[in-house]
Every structure is written in C-alpha cells, then in structure tokens.
Amino acid sequence: QVQLQESGPGLVKPSQTLSLTCTVSGDSISNSRYYWSWVRQPAGKGLEWIGRIFSTGRTHSNPSLKSRLTISVDTSKNQFSLKLTSVTAADTAVYYCARQRAPYYDSSGFWAWYFDSWGQGTLVTVSS
Amino acid sequence: QSVLTQPPSASGTPGQRVTISCSGSGSNIGSNTVNWYQQVPETAPKLLIYSNDQRPSGVPDRFSGSRSGTSASLAISGLQSEDEADYYCAAWDDSLNGPVFGGGTKLTVL
C-alpha cells in the first residue's frame, strides 16, 4: 500500500524559510487519480489544509498562505515539497503530507474527494 | 476558527451510541460530500467515512455517517474503549477550491 514520509528540519528561525519534502512509496506520484497535499496541525488545535500539487505541477494553495507558499514536485524521485517563507511562531505545527483523491462525481451525483493516506507527520518549531 | 463547526467534546459509556455533529454552509457541506477522520493522539488522522456515508475497507460498520442540508453527523454504535480519539469532519469548499475541516471533537469513553 502507499506510504508517505515527511522529512526536513525540525527547527526554523523566525523570518526564515521552512522546507519539507514528502517521499511517496507504493504509488506513482504521476497517478492521475490523486493530488498530493500538505496539511498542518498546531499543537492542541485542528487541521488546516495548506495546498496541493498535481503530477503536472499544477498547484493550488490556501489563500491564507499563498503569498508565502511554494509547492513543487519531482516525479523522478517520487517526491513533492513545500517551502514556506517568512515564518513566524504561528507556523509552528505538525506538518503532514497526504494523498488526496481528486474530486469526482460519486454515485449520488455529488462532488466527492478524500485524503486516504497520510504521512506520520513532522513537528516544525519556529523559534530563535 | 474552523470553517466547519463541531462540538469540542463528546462522551459515552462502552456499548452506547454517540453522535458527533458538523455544521457548515452552502459552499461546503451544502454542495459537496463530507468525510470524517479519526485521530488517536500523536498519530496521523485516519479516514473513517468518505462521501458522506461510505466506509473504507477495514472500518467497522459501527461507524456510520450522514449528511442533510448544510450539516453532517457521525454515529458510533457499540462504543469501545479504543474509539477514544479526536474526530474531524471535512468537506470540499467551493470558495476555497480546497478542503475545510471542523475544529475536532474529543470523544471520551467513560
């Protein structure tokens, strides 16, 4: 089955750039049925969708982060990456990469989608 | 503040049936399907229900979901101690062109 694994520094200084990579195994990142996404979770809080990328390189980001965010894909390595610039303490969170089923019309005619596989998550702390 | 609204906590005794609600708007739950995720502390979320009421392979039929209008709910019957976890609802939001989540409900099995 598909497995995702986040990697990157666990500590980033304020105003610097947070960089994470997700390595995918058990599926090709070029699989057209899926998007590849980032989700984060501050300690004790809920989940926030950060953004996604398709194998073609097409991306879509949460507007709240869009000006600071870059998501890229390396199909040769079966990896996708996140870069978040000008970080502050508010960016401290567990960051997850996840495989997202691309939206489709289900049997009831509704727009369906879901995250079906997640990485274990990596804690990134923003602190000097 | 989360886009979808869930109660912060819920509880029940073993064997009981509990429900968790999730409220949204026309741009998310009102026009798209709802998913539910279970998160045991210190682990990644796990897909529990997708497309309002569908269970992935391996999820017990004690878990069921429903959606009506701009609200959805998760029901857990025959509550077990291992069901103690945080539960999150999620829906596609047309305005965001991406998923939005509820704030999570912490389920305690008494």
Side-chain angles (χ1 to χ4, degrees):
Chain A
Q1 71 278 19
V2 64
Q3 292 188 316
L4 297 91
Q5 178 69 57
E6 305 89 352
S7 59
L11 180 64
V12 181
K13 289 182 166 53
S15 80
Q16 294 193 342
T17 297
L18 181 162
S19 297
L20 295 174
T21 295
C22 182
T23 301
V24 180
S25 58
D27 188 15
S28 169
I29 210 163
S30 298
N31 188 331
S32 61
R33 288 165 56 96
Y34 296 99
Y35 295 143
W36 303 93
S37 291
W38 290 97
V39 176
R40 69 180 182 180
Q41 184 174 33
K45 296 189 178 180
L47 300 162
E48 179 185 30
W49 173 70
I50 296 172
R52 66 175 180 264
I53 191 163
F54 195 56
S55 59
T56 57
R58 189 180 74 213
T59 62
H60 190 73
S61 305
N62 191 318
S64 67
L65 298 169
K66 188 173 183 177
S67 63
R68 300 192 290 132
L69 183 67
T70 301
I71 299 177
S72 60
V73 65
D74 186 336
T75 54
S76 67
K77 295 181 179 179
N78 225 35
Q79 295 176 332
F80 63 106
S81 300
L82 169 154
K83 288 188 189 300
L84 187 66
T85 62
S86 306
V87 296
T88 69
D91 295 310
T92 294
V94 174
Y95 285 74
Y96 295 101
C97 57
R99 186 177 77 169
Q100 182 207 312
R101 178 68 167 90
Y104 64 98
Y105 283 108
D106 68 7
S107 57
S108 301
F110 288 102
W111 200 229
W113 68 282
Y114 46 84
F115 293 115
D116 65 351
S117 297
W118 298 68
Q120 65 184 27
T122 188
L123 174 63
V124 179
T125 302
V126 178
S127 175
S128 55
Chain B
Q1 184 151 345
S2 301
V3 174
L4 306 181
T5 301
Q6 298 179 235
S9 63
S11 62
T13 57
Q16 266 192 332
R17 182 178 187 271
V18 297
T19 61
I20 297 172
S21 62
C22 176
S23 177
S25 67
S27 67
N28 40 67
I29 295 178
S31 51
N32 299 302
T33 59
V34 177
N35 305 326
W36 290 89
Y37 298 87
Q38 178 192 58
Q39 186 178 35
V40 175
E42 309 303 321
T43 69
K46 169 191 168 186
L47 181 63
L48 202 61
I49 297 286
Y50 70 97
S51 209
N52 301 328
D53 56 10
Q54 301 299 301
R55 283 185 307 276
S57 173
V59 173
D61 59 6
R62 302 186 296 105
F63 295 91
S64 62
S66 63
R67 167 191 168 276
S68 178
T70 59
S71 295
S73 61
L74 172 71
I76 309 171
S77 59
L79 198 61
Q80 299 180 4
S81 58
E82 57 260 40
D83 298 335
E84 193 161 280
D86 294 324
Y87 292 84
Y88 292 90
C89 60
W92 195 265
D93 189 281
D94 292 335
S95 302
L96 182 65
N97 191 17
V100 290
F101 292 93
T105 298
K106 183 176 181 60
L107 175 63
T108 301
V109 180
L110 302 169

